[in-house]
Amino acid sequence: MSDTRSADVALGERSLWAERTRRIGGSNLAMRLAFVATIIVLWYIASLNVPAFVVPSPMRVWETWLRLIGTPTFWQDFGTTLGRVAMGFLIAAVVGALLGLIMGVSRRIGEFLEPAVVIINTVSSTIWAIFALIWFGLSEATTIFVVFMTAMPLILTSVWQGTRLVSADYVELAQSFRMSRLQILRKIYLPTILPQFFAGSRLAFGFGARVVLIAETLGASSGIGYRLRQAADLVQTDQVFAWTLTLVILMLTLEYGILKPAENYLFAWKKAVPV
């Protein structure tokens, strides 16, 4: 009887938590839609008092965007930019995670490399883009390098800080059971580091998507950044807004359609217990 009652209580608590989660999700969606509507209204009001080449109306930008997505070059440029971001991010994720893990596990290596991390974080993405142009010229390596140098320190720092959250008691207990270093890394460090790594990766991907526009604007003959510069040179402000809208839609899709749901699913165990 007591087991049945405990199961009923647990089931009731889960149902209550699921209902509360749905209610919060609906409230968040309503607030986000209200925020978007407010931005569009303010944008429309601003467009009424200035020329179209300064601030085009939302309807004009929408019509321009629909025309753009109907052209073959749009999808070529879109795919080119997305590919550059993905390649730079993947390299940054591998290098940053490995270096962050090494710096966290070995205190001496961490102290030795810490000044280099600070220096890399200090240099802006624009400066990295200039260096890349000097070293690689007008090539794919230029944009990929800029994304890498922007994203890698963020991932490295997240993983490095994540290693500091590992309990020394757990490590000592594992060592008392004569677990190998590889087993300690896999069973103790990784479960603690992964949430930090994922959070840092989300941030790094967002920054990478923004800085790739700088690299493409300065030194590329294709991609969204190149088209933005081309439209700005011709004072085609509606196209500038339309390409910007494309990037915003891309980032929102990745953030709320892929990255955030994946993080919620993988790390559901981290959610606070409702009281």
Side-chain angles (χ1 to χ4, degrees):
M1 178 69 72
S2 60
D3 292 341
T4 303
R5 183 175 299 173
S6 298
D8 292 340
V9 171
L11 182 61
E13 289 178 350
R14 284 196 295 269
S15 300
L16 180 61
W17 173 246
E19 178 63 27
R20 185 175 300 180
T21 302
R22 285 194 295 268
R23 192 180 308 144
I24 294 175
S27 176
N28 289 340
L29 178 61
M31 288 192 299
R32 288 166 185 162
L33 291 176
F35 174 78
V36 172
T38 302
I39 293 297
I40 293 176
V41 169
L42 293 176
W43 176 7
Y44 174 74
I45 294 173
S47 68
L48 295 176
N49 301 313
V50 294
F53 70 86
V54 177
V55 179
S57 67
M59 183 57 66
R60 179 168 179 169
V61 172
W62 178 252
E63 292 172 352
T64 301
W65 188 74
L66 291 178
R67 287 197 304 269
L68 280 178
I69 64 175
T71 61
T73 55
F74 173 88
W75 296 108
Q76 292 173 3
D77 290 317
F78 182 84
T80 298
T81 297
L82 186 60
R84 289 164 176 166
V85 174
M87 181 62 69
F89 171 77
L90 288 175
I91 299 173
V94 173
V95 175
L98 288 176
L99 286 178
L101 189 60
I102 292 171
M103 291 174 65
V105 173
S106 175
R107 186 173 180 179
R108 289 183 179 179
I109 296 178
E111 292 176 351
F112 178 76
L113 293 179
E114 184 175 4
V117 176
V118 174
I119 292 172
I120 293 175
N121 280 322
T122 302
V123 179
S124 70
S125 301
T126 305
I127 297 177
W128 287 125
I130 295 172
F131 282 147
L133 282 172
I134 296 173
W135 295 335
F136 307 113
L138 298 177
S139 65
E140 291 291 311
T142 297
T143 51
I144 293 174
F145 175 80
V146 175
V147 174
F148 169 78
M149 293 305 299
T150 302
M152 188 272 293
L154 296 173
I155 297 175
L156 185 155
T157 303
S158 297
V159 174
W160 184 23
Q161 296 299 321
T163 60
R164 297 183 176 182
L165 299 177
V166 175
S167 173
D169 294 335
Y170 292 161
V171 176
E172 292 176 1
L173 182 62
Q175 290 173 343
S176 68
F177 281 102
R178 297 182 179 180
M179 293 176 63
S180 65
R181 175 164 289 189
L182 181 61
Q183 288 177 316
I184 294 174
L185 286 175
R186 185 166 57 88
K187 294 181 179 295
I188 298 178
Y189 275 89
L190 284 184
T192 306
I193 292 171
L194 279 178
Q196 303 295 322
F197 168 77
F198 204 92
S201 297
R202 283 176 56 193
L203 185 64
F205 192 90
F207 273 98
R210 287 192 286 270
V211 301
V212 75
L213 298 183
I214 299 175
E216 289 179 342
T217 301
L218 293 176
S221 57
S222 61
I224 295 177
Y226 169 73
R227 296 301 177 185
L228 279 169
R229 185 189 67 191
Q230 193 178 54
D233 291 341
L234 298 174
V235 199
Q236 296 174 332
T237 313
D238 54 344
Q239 289 200 23
V240 173
F241 274 70
W243 282 110
T244 304
L245 177 64
T246 300
L247 188 64
V248 170
I249 293 174
L250 171 63
M251 293 310 302
L252 290 177
T253 302
L254 290 172
E255 176 69 16
Y256 295 105
I258 299 176
L259 298 177
K260 196 166 185 178
E263 184 178 23
N264 292 337
Y265 175 78
L266 292 173
F267 309 117
W269 54 271
K270 291 194 66 181
K271 292 183 180 296
V273 177
V275 292

